[in-house]
Amino acid sequence: MKKLIWALLLTPMVGLAADEPVNVTAQQFVDLQQGNAVYPGFRRAHAKGICVSGEFRSNGQLSDYSKAPVFQSGATPFTGRLSIAGNNPTAPDLKAPVRSLALSFSISSTEQWRLAMNTPPVMAVADPHTFYQQILAIQAGPAAIKQFFSEHPESKEFLAWAAQYKASGSFASETYNSINAFYLINHNGKRQAVRWAMQPTVTVATTDAQDVDALQNEIANRVVAGNVVFDWVFTLADAADDENNATKAWPDSRQKITAGQIVINNTTAQLEGGCHAINFDPLVLPTGIEATADPILRARSSAYAESYRRRATEQLTGALKEPEND
Amino acid sequence: MTNTERFSLSMRLFHWGMAALVFAMLTAGLLMVASLDGWQLTVLTAHKVFGVIAVLLVSARLINRLRQAIPALPDDLSHWQKMSARVSHWLLYGLLFAMPVSGYLMQYFAARPIDVFGWFRLPAALNVDIYTYALFRELHSVFAIALICLIALHIGAALHHHIIRKDKVLKSML
């Protein structure tokens, strides 16, 4: 309650410092993401995707670090979604700069876990208000984005990743990163900051396919032929690492633990599958995992909530229509 | 009605305690849905926990209210004024229940269990029902706006009694 009162008192003071970006609201942020072309009933970001399902096969290696039951050895089923960045649910798969994997573990009536992961391992900026400026610059064109990055040295690691990243020909051959850090809490209450990545177990070369649904068709066919598998690899921070700054990767020398494998054994079109209804808010966490204070992580939850409210209400009022492919 | 001059101590405590709680909850609610800042999670978590407390408090308050006599309204009030006083009071009780219940149900159908101080969690649906979530999400907003309007009317009426009519209605709750 004390924190609450302070938060309320301090709110008007935020953003007064001269070099701080203008504070934006969740509504302004989602307005910017959805742009001028609104697709009623669809996510305002990562609108195009395909539902997947399968199970997490835990090897038990992480159970000393987190008391979350999913990390005991054994299998936990999930509903998930593979998607591409952008506001358009019919956009061409191969044009998107970012690909994503989201998972939902519905463990019990009191334990849920949602994860939303992207191909970049770090963010270009460390807070949501600067992120808003970054999206504005992206929308304004190459000159503006060049200018933006020159004024934001914290984007160095992101730019280095983008320079060497080559999009592959499949959702199955990408690495999906938590980007933000979380705390694992073990049975003794000990807290360990971690990031994680879903690492592919296959390599698929870049494709020059022209099909707008190239990635969705590829993954659907691939899953029919056999399971698609990722290794779930956790990186443990040490005292020198800042768990609240999503622009900085931790050194490669940090301890890594493979907790098991994510096995995808089914795909479904998103409006027919179980993933469309889910808000993959990364702050829906089970016992044994907690949020860090990373400003980007905190902001994701409120922006997702605004996007979810809009599309859910559109769906309730019957505004959702499946758009035709152009 | 009886000749009681003042609301009982328990009723006054419930009234002012819940006034503070409702004010904090409405303020927190309006600010947190707009904010992208780090405190949002802290306030949201507190908002849910205090919603659980609110439903317990308003239940106890209603039982307490039904078991006790309250001061009669001034005799010279017109029929419609007495009616609107009674209707608005029962509407306030209704909304004090509707707010936490709709808040919980929107979380329930979004399959988001509510953590209460890390002691226990309130259950949620296993699978998301996006239609029912949307219904309760919008109802939660509509109820909040109705509650704000009704509280404004309630405060206006109390001041009207005290300043213009100069009767004992406001004093009976002090």
Side-chain angles (χ1 to χ4, degrees):
Chain A
M1 194 64 193
K2 218 176 217 174
K3 268 187 193 164
L4 185 154
I5 291 160
W6 276 111
L8 294 180
L9 289 175
L10 293 177
T11 303
M13 291 163 63
V14 177
L16 290 181
D19 55 350
E20 296 275 307
V22 181
N23 259 5
V24 292
T25 64
Q27 287 70 32
Q28 287 171 308
F29 199 94
V30 175
D31 283 345
L32 182 69
Q33 285 183 312
Q34 74 184 14
N36 294 323
V38 174
Y39 298 89
F42 286 88
R43 284 167 216 271
R44 289 341 198 223
H46 295 253
K48 188 179 182 193
I50 183 170
C51 293
V52 297
S53 57
E55 61 183 23
F56 167 49
R57 294 178 186 158
S58 170
N59 57 22
Q61 301 250 333
L62 212 68
S63 58
D64 285 346
Y65 292 92
S66 172
K67 59 187 173 189
V70 295
F71 294 121
Q72 300 293 318
S73 41
T76 309
F78 64 77
T79 300
R81 186 170 181 267
L82 285 161
S83 66
I84 57 167
N87 66 336
N88 179 352
T90 62
D93 282 344
L94 296 171
K95 294 266 169 69
V98 171
R99 298 173 185 174
S100 305
L101 169 63
L103 299 177
S104 168
F105 292 102
S106 183
I107 303 153
S108 73
S109 63
T110 53
E111 296 285 336
Q112 291 269 350
W113 191 7
R114 314 263 164 85
L115 305 86
M117 300 157 283
N118 288 334
T119 38
V122 288
M123 294 285 299
V125 295
D127 73 86
H129 308 296
T130 314
F131 190 30
Y132 184 89
Q133 300 300 323
Q134 184 192 342
I135 300 172
L136 276 180
I138 291 168
Q139 293 184 354
I145 192 68
K146 207 175 160 202
Q147 169 81 10
F148 177 87
F149 284 133
S150 74
E151 289 165 0
H152 289 89
E154 72 271 28
S155 57
K156 202 179 90 191
E157 289 192 23
F158 174 82
L159 293 174
W161 169 83
Q164 56 76 49
Y165 171 72
K166 265 203 165 53
S168 71
S170 174
F171 277 128
S173 47
E174 298 286 343
T175 300
Y176 300 96
N177 300 285
S178 69
I179 303 179
N180 308 107
F182 294 80
Y183 295 115
L184 300 182
I185 313 293
N186 75 4
H187 286 281
N188 303 321
K190 193 170 166 269
R191 201 168 85 159
Q192 169 67 52
V194 293
R195 283 178 176 150
W196 63 77
M198 301 299 175
Q199 294 185 344
T201 54
V202 292
T203 311
V204 181
T206 304
T207 169
D208 52 6
Q210 297 299 306
D211 182 2
V212 291
D213 297 325
L215 289 176
Q216 295 205 355
N217 292 337
E218 198 278 343
I219 196 74
N221 292 332
R222 182 179 288 275
V223 170
V224 169
N227 291 343
V228 168
V229 177
F230 295 88
D231 289 322
W232 191 349
V233 181
F234 284 77
T235 303
L236 278 55
D238 83 8
D241 301 323
D242 183 356
E243 66 267 34
N244 297 322
N245 185 347
T247 67
K248 287 196 106 49
W250 300 337
D252 271 340
S253 55
R254 294 290 175 264
Q255 187 188 351
K256 288 185 163 57
I257 298 173
T258 302
Q261 293 187 313
I262 289 290
V263 179
I264 296 173
N265 56 29
N266 187 51
T267 67
T268 320
Q270 68 169 337
L271 294 183
E272 278 92 62
C275 72
H276 177 72
I278 300 173
N279 170 11
F280 290 96
D281 174 350
L283 294 188
V284 175
L285 296 167
T287 309
I289 299 152
E290 289 178 4
T292 57
D294 177 348
I296 293 284
L297 177 62
R298 300 294 180 102
R300 282 171 79 183
S301 186
S302 25
Y304 287 28
E306 175 63 19
S307 163
Y308 189 56
R309 179 190 182 181
R310 291 184 189 188
R311 68 186 183 90
T313 301
E314 288 157 0
Q315 198 163 342
L316 179 70
T317 56
L320 168 68
K321 280 187 198 77
E322 195 161 2
E324 299 288 314
N325 267 330
D326 304 325
Chain B
M1 289 295 155
T2 69
N3 298 322
T4 329
E5 289 258 304
R6 234 174 145 196
F7 285 90
S8 70
L9 178 65
S10 64
M11 289 173 99
R12 279 176 280 143
L13 287 174
F14 270 125
H15 176 269
W16 292 107
M18 286 199 70
L21 178 64
V22 167
F23 179 76
M25 290 293 271
L26 287 169
T27 309
L30 292 172
L31 291 177
M32 78 194 187
V33 295
S35 176
L36 290 173
D37 290 312
W39 56 262
Q40 200 261 1
L41 177 69
T42 314
V43 174
L44 180 65
T45 308
H47 185 86
K48 292 175 186 173
V49 172
F50 281 94
V52 176
I53 293 170
V55 85
L56 298 175
L57 272 179
V58 73
S59 306
R61 183 179 176 185
L62 179 65
I63 293 166
N64 189 55
R65 162 74 178 76
L66 292 174
R67 293 175 63 177
Q68 294 185 46
I70 60 166
L73 289 166
D75 288 336
D76 58 336
L77 278 186
S78 70
H79 177 68
W80 74 266
Q81 280 174 311
K82 282 185 175 166
M83 272 304 286
S84 17
R86 284 189 196 112
V87 169
S88 66
H89 290 155
W90 289 115
L91 272 177
L92 278 168
Y93 269 102
L95 285 171
L96 291 181
F97 277 104
M99 285 306 294
V101 169
S102 59
Y104 173 60
L105 289 175
M106 70 181 250
Q107 298 298 310
Y108 181 90
F109 288 106
R112 299 176 68 123
I114 290 171
D115 192 272
V116 181
F117 296 124
W119 294 341
F120 64 95
R121 288 180 166 204
L122 291 184
L126 274 178
N127 296 308
V128 176
D129 175 348
I130 192 168
Y131 293 96
T132 318
Y133 156 78
L135 177 68
F136 285 108
R137 174 65 187 84
E138 296 309 323
L139 280 177
H140 197 58
S141 277
V142 169
F143 292 152
I145 293 162
L147 184 56
I148 291 167
C149 294
L150 211 52
I151 289 169
L153 184 73
H154 184 72
I155 294 171
L159 293 176
H160 175 79
H161 279 284
H162 191 68
I163 296 166
I164 296 172
R165 292 180 48 93
K166 298 186 194 304
D167 61 22
K168 290 180 176 166
V169 168
L170 176 61
K171 278 189 186 144
S172 66
M173 192 46 95
L174 296 177

